[in-house]
Amino acid sequence: MSRSKSKKTFFVCACFCLSLFSVSIRAQDVPSDYQDVLKLLDRKGDFKAGVLKVNIPRNDLKMTIQGVSTPTPFGFGGWLSMTKTSDGTEVMMGDLVLLQDEVNPIMSALLDSGIEVTALHNHFFWDEPHVYYMHVHGMGRASDLARRVKPGLDLIGHVTPSGVTALSATGTPLDTEKLSKIIGHPGEQSGAVFKITIGRDDLGMKDHGAAINARMGLNTWAAFLGTQEDAVVAGDIAMLESELTPVLKALRKNGLDVVAIHHHMTEERPLVIFLHYWGRGPAEKLANAFKSALGELGKGAPSHG
């Protein structure tokens, strides 16, 4: 072999070895506690800029938007991330891509494990199947956070869709007086719908000196339709940040579905989060479920700074 060919062969081999070495180094760059997280969750991820990012793609979904086939990287790659706080513990944030039937079972599993749900919304119109995006938050040791979030992640792709049945055409008309008594506030009848609206005047919100009250949208409400035996309820709850998790737990514990978590205003002080919900069942049971959420308003300290 000529000297030039020998040098060329040596150079190629050296580059190959360096490539293998760099791959090994990158793999070893993932801190051991984060390697444990990936192993426990049985997920792939990477470590960059001091952040572990865990991939939770919805490769199981065949998505189309307005009839256009859209692959997972187009916007259906859920994730969790962790990074260390100043005291060496972890802050975890994430965005989970969920089918409608997955949202509330997974939310309950996360809440029961001490994980916060901080937002719930859609990213697209005309998506098929329809998906929601759930933002989550947690604090603690990396391994503990992984164990706490795992029950929720394990449900992704494994929730049985709920059936759809029409409201009963017969039954006892809504007892609006009883519903008002349970909730502790009067309501108004509008056709077949009975609606109770409750302001948050306790927040003392103002915009350019003008008081923002229930008529301006700072309110909590519940609308009932159906019969005493078979009714539906939908509504909106206006909450401080510190009230969000207790309200979510109260709603889920009492069988109401959460369908959106977002804000309605900008630059308001204090910051107010709005939560939309839905439920079906005996009217009194729905009223008591709504009442349980009301009981979490106006108390408690901020959950984190």
Side-chain angles (χ1 to χ4, degrees), residues 26-162:
R26 285 197 296 271
Q28 292 173 7
D29 278 346
V30 179
S32 60
D33 54 345
Y34 288 164
Q35 291 182 31
D36 291 341
V37 168
L38 294 175
K39 183 177 180 180
L40 180 62
L41 297 180
D42 193 23
R43 301 276 180 171
K44 295 181 180 179
D46 57 43
F47 180 72
K48 297 177 183 178
V51 174
L52 172 72
K53 193 159 190 178
V54 183
N55 302 320
I56 312 173
R58 290 309 302 264
N59 296 322
D60 58 313
L61 303 179
K62 303 299 181 184
M63 297 298 306
T64 62
I65 301 175
Q66 209 170 24
V68 177
S69 180
T70 47
T72 303
F74 192 75
F76 308 102
W79 54 271
L80 289 174
S81 62
M82 293 185 189
T83 193
K84 294 196 180 298
T85 65
S86 57
D87 64 3
T89 57
E90 308 288 333
V91 57
M92 181 188 75
M93 296 183 183
D95 192 2
L96 306 180
V97 183
L98 306 175
L99 295 172
Q100 294 179 91
D101 286 294
E102 296 173 336
V103 168
N104 283 279
I106 289 173
M107 181 183 293
S108 290
L110 294 173
L111 292 171
D112 289 345
S113 297
I115 300 297
E116 295 176 321
V117 175
T118 56
L120 176 65
H121 52 196
N122 62 296
H123 283 191
F124 299 98
F125 289 145
W126 311 296
D127 49 333
E128 181 62 39
H130 190 44
V131 294
Y132 279 83
Y133 294 76
M134 181 186 292
H135 295 262
V136 299
H137 176 272
M139 300 286 294
R141 294 175 59 244
S143 58
D144 290 339
L145 287 171
R147 279 190 286 269
R148 285 156 54 190
V149 80
K150 191 176 189 302
L153 299 189
D154 287 347
L155 288 175
I156 295 177
H158 298 96
V159 175
T160 302
S162 56

Side-chain angles (χ1 to χ4, degrees), residues 158-177:
H158 298 96
V159 175
T160 302
S162 56
V164 178
T165 57
L167 277 178
S168 175
T170 60
T172 309
L174 287 176
D175 188 336
T176 57
E177 184 176 343

Side-chain angles (χ1 to χ4, degrees), residues 246-291:
V247 167
L248 285 174
K249 289 182 176 180
L251 291 174
R252 292 303 303 137
K253 181 180 179 181
N254 287 277
L256 295 186
D257 288 335
V258 179
V259 297
I261 306 169
H262 54 198
H263 62 87
H264 288 185
M265 299 168 275
T266 59
E267 299 185 16
E268 78 270 30
R269 296 292 183 275
L271 176 65
V272 176
I273 305 295
F274 291 83
L275 177 155
H276 297 264
Y277 65 90
W278 158 269
R280 181 173 180 178
E284 288 185 42
K285 181 179 179 181
L286 297 178
N288 278 299
F290 176 61
K291 176 67 173 180

